[in-house]
Amino acid sequence: RKARVAADHLLTLINDVLNMSKLEDDKVELAREAFDIRRLADDILTISRLSAEEAGITLEHARCETNIPYPYVYGSPLHVRQIFVNILNNAIKYNKPGGSIYTKIQWKEAKENKDGKKWITYVCTVSDTGVGMSKEFLKHLFDPFVQEKVDARSVYHGSGLGMSIVKALVDKMGGTIEVKSERGVGSTFIVTIPFEIASEDEVAVKAQDKT
């Protein structure tokens, strides 16, 4: 078991370094796939809920049926998943015993470009009751290989690249990420990403192609 944990940890470090290297060299290509953002959100929560339960953390999410008027969109679901699994993993890792995480998704605006393509912007919020971060550390949160070396955060030995990868991917998607945090209280991540609107038929065709 210890060997497997160590191997998984080393694999994560290697993958983070490779991903960051590709992003810095602009070699990461985002897919343009039609997908159902509701299903992707369920997948992300399922993945993260297992880790949360093992850590004794409660993961809650707002009912968002009315907040997703256009669930079918084009994008790179693999990289969207990577963004939010990374954020949720941090929210679990740096939480307090018996702590909680709250997630929600809302739509901000829908518009049609000059080329006739319709877009919608979604805002995803992840709040936790974790150890939080100092104002000084927040200034460097997205710098590569940076980790806060105080209190509970010092017991974790990740690559220090997770948030750098998240920021690079969000930027590449034309989105924004905002972080609010207070030591001893918790943190809130607000990710805003625009998506081109797709149709249900296009998502169905994509699903058939995979079978």
Side-chain angles (χ1 to χ4, degrees), residues 5-54:
V5 169
D8 289 344
H9 177 66
L10 288 173
L11 183 59
T12 299
L13 296 181
I14 292 169
N15 285 335
D16 281 350
V17 172
L18 291 175
N19 283 332
M20 197 65 231
S21 177
K22 289 180 180 179
L23 284 163
E24 288 179 336
D25 293 339
D26 199 25
K27 291 182 178 179
V28 172
E29 294 186 10
L30 299 180
R32 185 179 182 274
E33 298 179 16
F35 67 96
D36 186 338
I37 201 166
R38 298 168 302 185
R39 177 164 293 183
L40 180 62
D42 285 343
D43 290 346
I44 292 168
L45 288 171
T46 297
I47 293 169
S48 299
R49 186 170 283 112
L50 292 172
S51 299
E53 288 175 354
E54 289 180 356

Side-chain angles (χ1 to χ4, degrees), residues 91-167:
I92 295 167
K93 186 187 297 183
Y94 299 123
N95 219 310
K96 301 171 184 175
S100 62
I101 301 168
Y102 179 76
T103 70
K104 68 177 180 180
I105 182 171
Q106 299 170 292
W107 72 285
K108 184 178 179 182
E109 61 177 349
K111 62 182 180 181
E112 184 173 329
N113 287 356
K114 294 179 180 179
D115 57 7
K117 294 180 180 179
K118 296 180 179 179
W119 291 73
I120 185 163
T121 298
Y122 283 114
V123 181
C124 304
T125 304
V126 178
S127 299
D128 65 60
T129 59
V131 297
M133 294 170 275
S134 64
K135 291 182 179 179
E136 185 59 32
F137 179 73
L138 273 178
K139 298 176 184 177
H140 305 283
L141 176 62
F142 299 116
D143 294 348
F145 303 110
V146 171
Q147 289 179 310
E148 193 165 25
K149 302 296 183 181
V150 293
D151 297 340
R153 301 183 71 88
S154 63
V155 303
Y156 303 105
H157 304 288
S159 65
L161 289 172
M163 286 298 101
S164 299
I165 291 171
V166 165
K167 179 67 163 61

